[in-house]
Amino acid sequence: MKKRLSFHAMVSFAFLGGISVCLLLLNVVCVVLLHHVLVWDTRSQMEKYAVQLEAMDQSGTEEEIDIVLNEIYDGYLIRTTILSEDGMVLHTTEVFSRRKNISIMEEMFDHFEEQGNNPYFEELRDDEQNPLNIYFIRQMDSGCYIFMNRSILGITQIVQIVSWFLLLACLLAAGVGMTVWTLATKPFSHSMEQMSSVTERLAHLDFSQRVNYQGRIQEIVVLSESIDNLSEQLEKSLNEMRQELERRKELLRTLAHEIKTPLTTIRGYTENMEIVTAGNARAARYCQIMLEECSALDVLATEMMEVSTLEGSKDFYEQRFLKMEWLFEMFRRRIRRELPDQEIAVEVEDAVVCGNPYLLERVVFNYLGNADRYRTPGTPILLSGKRLGNRYRISVTNDGAEISEQERSRIWDAFYKSDKSRKRSGSYGVGLSIVRQIAAMHGAEADVISSGGKNTFFFELPMIDEDS
């Protein structure tokens, strides 16, 4: 089963994930692109100032040229040197007195002459390909040279500083954003959790809780009011259904009870008539039919009372631990007493279940009655009890006509009979309905398997661990 997250947690994780991706992209941009952008900007500035210096070389004074060189250095840290055609330094912002600087300048001029590019641009790196300096050479129309250089080590430091600044700024933004998000969505999240709790209770027919949303979000207000109205209407409808069910159950009990009284009277008068009309074959036959009908109606009234008693009476019948060998021995005694002429085989595996022995006996003999009524004449009936994993199955099997798929679901309905002609067969179609009610009281399963000319009605309930 997948672990579920709350709405607030999912959005929080999504927010943090988005911030993390943004941080990663910003750092990649800084490391990969910022260096190239700064180098491109430095080259652009060198070219711009080289054009300006060439214009001043023709009309500007030496003092103005020195001022521009200082501005270039102060603004962009670009060191500039103007050399004559024969290599004499005319203007400079640094003195190339160190041998290394002079050798680098000579090397750059050699590259300038080899390449033949004017202006000439080169980025110098060390043996490990780490950037060191940017060099720029331009020969003016007067024949003089403009030599510029800038250290890239500073650019690398700027990239690192900007990268760390963006990292800290994003972390701060994430912290502030999460705080604001939590405070802003807490009422919304709480309302969603409350609505989820209410709807889950509704699924279990518990109408005691309401959403009672007090916020101002229009969509949630409408949704919460709809859920509260639904809860109220369902509670009202369910109460009305329960009251109607109780009235019907009471009517059924009353009707069954009231039928008993006239039946007893009719039976008594009929038995007396049978005595009085002794010797009259026709009258005796009529009296016998009336007695049979009274017996059938008495069975119907008894079953109606039992149905009404079982409905909603789970706590009325005490359930206890039962050993199946003992229970099946009880079944055998009743079979020998009430069905001595029937060929019924009994097989049992011992186990312990929790149930009511009277109700389980009722299930078995309902099954046996159906099996005897609808079996192929002369074929045996098998009553068995078997372990199936952690469940125990009580089943009754007979040979007979296969039950169709449509009827397999309908035979459990009260008063349903597969015989469409509704001919008298000693049953009113109540027995299997009683079995289903007993199954619900035991947390069991009652069903039928019909194939190959055999019908197996079973009652499957949980086993109890004998060591517990």
Side-chain angles (χ1 to χ4, degrees), residues 125-374:
R125 297 174 178 267
D126 59 14
D127 296 337
E128 298 179 358
Q129 296 301 309
N130 295 317
L132 295 177
N133 285 280
I134 297 175
Y135 294 96
F136 177 87
I137 301 176
R138 179 188 178 96
Q139 186 175 17
M140 297 184 288
D141 293 338
S142 62
C144 296
Y145 297 93
I146 300 174
F147 179 82
M148 296 180 175
N149 73 302
R150 181 182 181 182
S151 174
I152 306 181
L153 293 175
I155 296 177
T156 304
Q157 293 176 354
I158 291 173
V159 171
Q160 293 176 351
I161 292 172
V162 171
S163 178
W164 278 106
F165 174 79
L166 289 175
L167 177 63
L168 294 175
C170 289
L171 290 176
L172 180 61
V176 173
M178 281 298 299
T179 302
V180 173
W181 163 257
T182 302
L183 294 176
T185 60
K186 187 175 181 180
F188 173 78
S189 177
H190 176 71
S191 300
M192 295 297 291
E193 292 173 358
Q194 190 173 4
M195 283 189 279
S196 175
S197 174
V198 171
T199 52
E200 185 173 357
R201 287 173 177 264
L202 287 179
H204 294 86
L205 302 181
D206 180 2
F207 308 102
S208 60
Q209 189 177 355
R210 297 289 187 270
V211 178
N212 293 325
Y213 177 68
Q214 302 298 325
R216 298 182 179 180
I217 302 177
Q218 181 64 25
E219 289 78 6
I220 301 181
V221 170
V222 174
L223 180 59
S224 63
E225 290 178 351
S226 299
I227 292 176
D228 287 344
N229 290 335
L230 175 63
S231 179
E232 292 174 2
Q233 292 299 322
L234 286 176
E235 183 178 18
K236 181 179 178 181
S237 300
L238 186 61
N239 288 335
E240 292 176 353
M241 291 174 60
R242 286 172 176 169
Q243 293 173 4
E244 180 65 22
L245 181 60
E246 287 298 324
R247 285 195 294 269
R248 292 187 180 186
K249 288 166 60 179
E250 183 62 29
L251 177 62
L252 187 62
R253 284 192 292 266
T254 303
L255 181 62
H257 184 269
E258 292 298 325
I259 289 175
K260 288 272 189 180
T261 302
L263 275 178
T264 304
T265 303
I266 294 171
R267 182 190 295 272
Y269 279 111
T270 303
E271 290 174 349
N272 288 331
M273 287 176 62
E274 191 175 22
I275 295 174
V276 170
T277 58
N280 188 330
R282 177 176 292 184
R285 174 58 180 163
Y286 290 158
C287 289
Q288 184 62 36
I289 292 174
M290 291 173 65
L291 288 175
E292 290 176 358
E293 293 299 327
C294 287
S295 298
L297 286 174
D298 187 59
V299 170
L300 174 61
T302 301
E303 289 184 340
M304 288 170 62
M305 293 185 67
E306 188 168 8
V307 168
S308 64
T309 301
L310 288 172
E311 287 182 347
S313 303
K314 183 176 181 180
D315 298 331
F316 182 79
Y317 294 92
E318 179 185 1
Q319 297 189 21
R320 53 191 173 90
F321 291 165
L322 302 172
K323 289 183 68 67
M324 298 311 296
E325 284 188 346
W326 172 85
L327 188 63
F328 269 72
E329 183 59 33
M330 186 174 70
F331 298 159
R332 287 190 184 98
R333 289 196 298 268
R334 184 173 171 183
I335 290 172
R336 287 194 295 266
R337 185 175 65 252
E338 298 182 6
L339 304 171
D341 299 330
Q342 306 299 333
E343 186 180 352
I344 301 176
V346 180
E347 299 176 356
V348 58
E349 295 179 1
D350 196 21
V352 177
V353 301
C354 183
N356 181 277
Y358 164 75
L359 295 179
L360 294 180
E361 185 182 42
R362 185 74 166 93
V363 168
V364 168
F365 279 84
N366 278 1
Y367 281 169
L368 288 174
N370 278 347
D372 179 54
R373 193 173 300 114
Y374 297 107

